[in-house]
């Protein structure tokens, strides 16, 4: 049984906004229209941002482990001209304060999403929800929440999985088995500070999370964002990911759902996406991006935004969907439609 979230939003004047570390190469987020603070069910405060014109079709973007609202910057830039785009920092990430020791669970992720939807959408308003990595897991964790199901017109699950994360990850170059699973468990729960953003740090992050052809600016942006996550927060959420099992709730995710993955994803490899596409009751497409890694919204924001636009066009009234499709040369289908139209 879900707890009733206290969906409270307070607008913070832009003049008092804390400065965001600069993100290179145009990958940083645009200026938001306003920045509400949302209060979740356990009292945790969540920093949110709203972009785009009032009255436009609504899109809510949920970032992943060790990231922040800045991670969605390129996608927000693609959508904000004709969508109202909501992004928020997961608890402990970005400008959202860390929770207490008991505040790290998939239930807490679901509470937070429910609170954000209640605080940033108008009464009765529906939105397309897009979740990357742990953000996708957030949406899956909230699949049985009536307040979320009523709000979700369509869903994009991007570079994510519902279970077996340790066993199937490919970051540690070992054969599949107990030793590799143990090594991934240690890595996810590590509290070691990542240190400054150096050329070596960028090479390490690129290997672990991005495709070989990723733009240097995208690598630099992702490294800066990931290194900003506090080590204790990274470790606590890593423990949650180690034990993740959201398979039972997939049947409740009845909104039209597109699944997107990069073929070079080492953290949530394509088998996760293929299982999701088979298990979801209303999967509208499985998109595999050749050579793209785990950070799909940063590596290929155009295709990610096109998938969101397609869901907007087919699930929400209004002209903003635009009939955009995923470029055929970038996406390939594996048994389901590969367009996001």
């Amino acid at each position: 049984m879900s707890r009733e979230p206290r969906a409270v939003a307070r607008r913070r004047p832009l003049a008092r906004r804390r400065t965001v570390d600069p993100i290179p190469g145009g990958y940083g987020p645009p200026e938001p229209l306003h920045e509400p603070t949302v209060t979740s069910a356990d009292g945790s405060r969540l920093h949110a941002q709203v972009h785009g014109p009032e009255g436009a079709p609504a899109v809510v973007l949920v970032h992943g482990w060790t990231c922040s609202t800045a991670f969605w910057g390129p996608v927000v830039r693609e959508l904000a001209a004709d969508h109202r785009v909501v992004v928020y920092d997961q608890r402990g990430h970005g400008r959202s304060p860390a929770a207490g020791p008991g505040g790290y669970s998939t239930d807490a992720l679901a509470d937070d999403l429910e609170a954000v939807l209640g605080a940033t959408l108008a009464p009765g308003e529906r939105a397309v929800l897009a979740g990357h990595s742990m953000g996708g897991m957030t949406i899956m964790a909230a699949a049985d929440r009536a307040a979320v199901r009523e709000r979700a017109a369509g869903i994009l699950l991007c570079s994510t999985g519902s279970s077996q994360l340790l066993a199937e990850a490919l970051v540690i170059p070992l054969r599949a088995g107990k030793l590799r699973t143990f090594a991934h468990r240690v890595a996810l729960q590590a509290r070691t500070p990542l240190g400054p953003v150096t050329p070596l740090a960028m090479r390490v992050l690129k290997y672990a999370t991005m495709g070989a052809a990723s733009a240097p600016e995208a690598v630099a942006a992702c490294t800066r964002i990931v290194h900003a996550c506090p080590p204790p927060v990274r470790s606590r959420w890593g423990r949650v990911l180690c034990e993740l099992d959201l398979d039972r709730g997939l049947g409740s995710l009845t909104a039209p759902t597109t699944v997107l993955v990069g073929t070079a994803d080492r953290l949530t490899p394509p088998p996760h996406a293929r299982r999701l596409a088979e298990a979801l009751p209303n999967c509208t497409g499985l998109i595999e991006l050749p050579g793209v890694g785990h950070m799909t919204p940063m590596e290929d924001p155009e295709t990610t935004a096109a998938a969101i636009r397609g869901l907007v066009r087919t699930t929400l009234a209004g002209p903003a969907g635009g009939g955009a499709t995923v470029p055929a040369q970038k996406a390939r289908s594996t048994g389901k439609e590969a367009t996001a139209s």
Side-chain angles (χ1 to χ4, degrees):
M1 177 177 281
S2 66
R3 292 172 285 171
E4 188 67 26
R6 292 166 27 215
V8 178
R10 298 188 301 276
R11 293 192 179 190
R12 181 166 60 231
L14 291 182
R16 298 175 57 191
R17 187 178 65 252
R18 284 179 283 175
T19 302
V20 179
D21 289 338
I23 303 297
Y27 282 85
E31 290 290 327
L33 293 180
H34 59 92
E35 298 180 283
T37 297
V38 178
T39 303
S40 191
D42 64 354
S44 293
R45 292 182 295 110
L46 306 168
H47 170 80
Q49 297 180 347
V50 180
H51 303 260
E54 295 290 340
V59 174
V60 179
L61 308 178
V62 192
H63 72 74
W65 181 53
T66 74
C67 293
S68 68
T69 56
F71 179 79
W72 286 107
V75 174
V76 173
R77 290 182 183 279
E78 291 280 334
L79 296 174
D82 51 4
H83 297 74
R84 191 162 64 87
V85 184
V86 177
V87 291
Y88 70 98
D89 287 320
Q90 301 263 32
R91 54 177 64 195
H93 297 75
R95 299 177 188 173
S96 294
Y104 297 84
S105 67
T106 54
D107 282 341
L109 293 175
D111 284 342
D112 293 351
L113 175 60
E114 188 172 349
V116 168
L117 296 179
T120 60
L121 300 181
E125 184 179 15
R126 302 171 75 222
V128 167
L129 313 183
H132 170 261
S133 192
M134 193 174 80
M137 298 163 198
T138 299
I139 296 171
M140 288 184 269
D144 63 347
R145 304 284 183 100
V148 175
R149 295 178 67 180
E150 291 167 0
R151 297 285 198 175
I155 295 168
L156 175 66
L157 297 178
C158 186
S159 308
T160 192
S162 57
S163 64
Q164 303 179 55
L165 300 186
L166 297 179
E168 297 196 351
L170 302 172
V171 177
I172 307 296
L174 296 172
R175 284 188 177 184
K178 292 183 179 180
L179 180 58
R180 190 178 74 179
T181 297
F182 174 76
H184 283 131
R185 181 181 295 275
V186 171
L188 260 65
Q189 297 183 88
R191 296 171 64 96
T192 307
L194 298 180
V197 176
T198 64
L200 176 60
M202 288 189 282
R203 286 197 295 272
V204 171
L205 183 123
K206 181 180 179 181
Y207 163 78
T209 69
M210 305 181 79
S214 297
E217 295 86 355
V219 177
C222 286
T223 307
R224 190 179 299 275
I225 291 166
V226 170
H227 279 228
C229 183
V233 171
R234 187 180 76 235
S235 175
R236 286 170 179 163
W237 281 120
R239 292 174 193 170
V240 173
L241 299 182
C242 286
E243 309 303 330
L244 188 79
D245 188 351
L246 299 173
D247 291 343
R248 291 183 180 179
L250 293 179
S252 299
L253 210 62
T254 55
T257 303
T258 299
V259 182
L260 186 149
V261 68
T263 63
D265 188 339
R266 289 188 171 96
L267 284 172
T268 52
H272 287 286
R274 295 167 191 159
R275 282 199 301 273
L276 287 174
E278 290 299 323
L280 290 166
N282 193 4
C283 182
T284 57
L286 169 59
I287 303 166
E288 296 191 16
L289 301 178
V292 174
H294 184 69
M295 302 299 212
T296 37
M298 272 279 188
E299 295 180 70
D300 194 344
E302 296 86 0
T303 302
T304 304
I308 294 170
R309 281 183 176 274
L311 285 164
V312 169
R313 187 179 69 83
T314 56
T315 63
L316 294 173
T325 59
V326 175
Q329 70 274 18
K330 288 189 175 182
R332 64 182 181 86
S333 173
T334 56
K336 294 195 182 258
E337 187 60 44
T339 61
S341 60

